Amino acid sequence: MVGFRGQSARRMLSCCAAALIIAAFLGGLIAAPACAADRLRIAVQKTGTLAWEMSVIRAQGLDKEADLDLQIVDVASLDAAIIALRSGAADMIVTDWLWVSRERSLGANFVFYPYSSAIGAVVANPAKGVARLHDLIGRKLAVAGGPLDKSWLLLQAWTRRAGLDLGRAANIVYGAAPLLAEKAAQGEVDAALEYWNFCADLEAQGFTRLVEIADVERALGATGPVAAIGYVFDGSFAAAHRDMLQRFFAATRGAKQLIATSPDAWQIVAKQLPSKSAGALAAYQKYYARGIPDRPIADEEADARWLFKVLAEIGGSELVGSAVSLAPGTYYKSGS
């Protein structure tokens, strides 16, 4: 009797244990989602417009709608973003097509997808008596970025065609964009070639625009606004994640339109720009909206190919390396 009871007890314990394991397994199936969201790691500078878009995407639930797990890799600079991409710490960064083309010519497999055509302009303080580019002869012009800044090279190429070698005619001061914007505001320079966001700040302080770099691009042969910067990622990664990238780009387009048109979405952005005046915020939104790409990839690529030739001619090998044309495959085409 004792042995029989012991066997029965053991059987009952085994059955109970099995039931608990099955229940736990089934419970796990019920609790777990049908499939995990696709993960995409994006290198983001906190002060950039990509940070705006990621904030709006999350606040509006666009990532959930697209079944995406967007993981932000915080970086302090473009150089840090490039390191993150090269090392595999990030799947995607934002930089320009010229960099992608040069990398491809060196054997890399990075590809480019348009992000923004917002570039910059030459702005001047009316009190300085500068109303046109020819007024800068013998005057001080601040150039953000350095001698190989693409906007500066394009501007020189254009003015030379009009008989004005601006690089020789004006007193050029190179430096970081924030510092030069401050010097312009303080009257230490007569005009400044600045990035679009610093142009917006200076415009809010009464500066006028002498020439838009987007207009310079058209004058040099572009057929429309060219997205100077774009999402950049490895071609092999793209081939393996075409559907995910399509959903991501749809989500970012939605975020861009919300930032451009929705007061609620713009408030999310404005909170990241607490030091800006109402006038500067309005200028930021206006020029950001103008920079939203809306052209076919083929048109973007054709214009970039043309502008590459202009840049190669004036910037030389220091800018483009040994390449003589835009590297094949630079632009990502989701259908290819």
Side-chain angles (χ1 to χ4, degrees):
M1 292 291 291
V2 173
F4 176 75
R5 286 175 180 170
Q7 287 181 340
S8 297
R10 284 194 292 272
R11 290 194 191 97
M12 290 179 65
L13 287 172
S14 297
C15 289
C16 288
L20 287 171
I21 291 171
I22 292 170
F25 176 73
L26 292 175
L29 287 178
I30 294 170
C35 60
D38 290 323
R39 184 185 71 168
L40 181 63
R41 300 167 302 162
I42 310 169
V44 178
Q45 297 181 57
K46 290 183 179 180
T47 57
T49 56
L50 185 56
W52 302 359
E53 293 174 11
M54 293 301 105
S55 297
V56 171
I57 284 173
R58 287 177 167 176
Q60 299 295 326
L62 299 178
D63 51 344
K64 299 296 186 290
E65 290 179 14
D67 196 25
L68 294 171
D69 175 18
L70 301 181
Q71 297 188 1
I72 305 304
V73 179
D74 290 320
V75 292
S77 66
L78 175 57
D79 287 342
I82 289 173
I83 291 171
L85 180 64
R86 290 190 191 279
S87 68
D91 303 312
M92 178 181 289
I93 67 173
V94 167
T95 189
D96 61 82
W97 52 259
L98 189 62
W99 181 85
V100 175
S101 178
R102 179 162 182 166
E103 288 295 306
R104 290 186 70 84
S105 70
L106 295 173
N109 190 29
F110 298 125
V111 290
F112 175 97
Y113 187 85
Y115 171 84
S116 175
S117 63
I119 313 174
V122 178
V123 294
N125 188 334
K128 290 287 187 174
V130 177
R132 58 195 184 106
L133 288 179
H134 277 80
D135 293 334
L136 288 172
I137 296 174
R139 309 289 290 274
K140 190 176 290 187
L141 171 64
V143 174
L148 291 179
D149 176 78
K150 289 171 288 299
S151 292
W152 171 231
L153 294 174
L154 291 172
L155 180 65
Q156 289 182 86
W158 177 59
T159 58
R160 285 180 186 178
R161 293 185 181 185
L164 173 64
D165 189 342
L166 195 58
R168 294 178 180 273
N171 180 11
I172 308 302
V173 178
Y174 299 110
L179 175 62
L180 294 185
E182 184 177 344
K183 287 184 175 295
Q186 294 172 350
E188 295 183 30
V189 296
D190 299 300
L193 171 57
E194 272 286 9
Y195 304 143
W196 75 269
N197 52 321
F198 293 101
C199 289
D201 287 329
L202 292 169
E203 183 179 310
Q205 298 175 56
F207 279 63
T208 57
R209 291 171 177 256
L210 301 185
V211 61
E212 298 278 357
I213 300 303
D215 293 336
V216 169
E217 289 180 335
R218 289 187 180 89
L220 290 170
T223 60
V226 183
I229 59 173
Y231 306 98
V232 174
F233 40 95
D234 191 87
S236 298
F237 175 85
H241 299 89
R242 291 192 183 280
D243 179 66
M244 179 181 71
L245 288 173
Q246 185 175 358
R247 284 180 277 124
F248 172 72
F249 294 141
T252 59
R253 281 193 295 272
K256 289 177 189 292
Q257 291 300 326
L258 286 172
I259 292 172
T261 62
S262 166
D264 290 340
W266 182 245
Q267 281 305 307
I268 296 172
V269 172
K271 289 178 182 178
Q272 299 178 54
L273 302 167
S275 63
K276 305 301 180 185
S277 65
L281 286 173
Y284 267 57
Q285 188 177 28
K286 178 176 70 174
Y287 292 110
Y288 170 86
R290 287 187 185 179
I292 298 175
D294 62 355
R295 298 203 300 155
I297 295 293
D299 293 348
E300 291 272 3
E301 185 175 21
D303 283 343
R305 188 176 294 113
W306 179 256
L307 292 176
F308 183 98
K309 293 179 180 179
V310 176
L311 289 167
E313 181 180 345
I314 192 168
S317 60
E318 191 174 357
L319 178 69
V320 301
S322 59
V324 295
S325 61
L326 186 75
T330 294
Y331 277 73
Y332 172 67
K333 302 176 179 67
S334 59
S336 60

